[in-house]
Amino acid sequence: GCRMSREEHPVWSVYDRLRSARLSVKYYSKKLQQTEKLNFWLEVVLLIAAPSSAVAGLWFWESEYGQIIWKFLAIPAAIVAVLKPQLHLTKKIKDYEGVLSGYRILEYDLMEIKIGIEQKKKYDAPLQEDFKRAQQRERTLVGKNPESCEDTRVKKLCQAEVASELPANTFFVPEE
């Protein structure tokens, strides 16, 4: 029979899914961190500007300059107070956490299949079944994407990291 080239071997569907799962883990981790950070700083602005805050009671605000600065602080605080609920950050954070843990499990499962291929030196039927199950789980994850549009800058950063962590030449391809 004619031999398959290394690039055509069916194990590549496993390795490609593994790389894209790793990419999703990295991407959603960064997006989660960004959203948490934004949420944190908006909370800080609201807490500082609240009339009941310890900061509001400082003697400095009683001075002439203090009063001017306080008035300027009140503007962003008012904007944040109006905007923050519209951003649905706590819901977004929860959605990112859900998708992220899903992709972490998927990455782990695909890593197990990769190790199985290396140990058995072949991509046999049981491993192919495991892969089918992993693909079904991935389908449900894709539907849970919390974003309407992707952050291309973050995605590019993550793609570069994945390419250096999982280069093509490190994957085992059976001679079948």
Side-chain angles (χ1 to χ4, degrees), residues 15 38 41 43 48 51-52 59 63 65-66 81 128 136-137 152 173 176:
Y15 300 151
L38 175 62
W41 286 112
E43 290 289 332
I48 289 174
S52 59
W59 60 266
S63 73
Y65 292 117
Q128 288 170 21
Q136 278 159 354
R137 273 198 302 283
T152 46
V173 177
E176 275 166 28

Side-chain angles (χ1 to χ4, degrees), residues 19 22-31 151-165:
R19 281 193 280 208
R22 169 85 49 100
L23 175 65
S24 295
V25 167
K26 286 178 175 297
Y27 178 79
Y28 289 119
S29 296
K30 286 192 168 65
K31 295 304 293 178
D151 186 330
T152 46
R153 192 186 58 81
V154 172
K155 186 110 190 214
K156 282 203 176 88
L157 277 171
C158 297
Q159 280 168 332
E161 286 177 20
V162 172
S164 71
E165 286 172 23

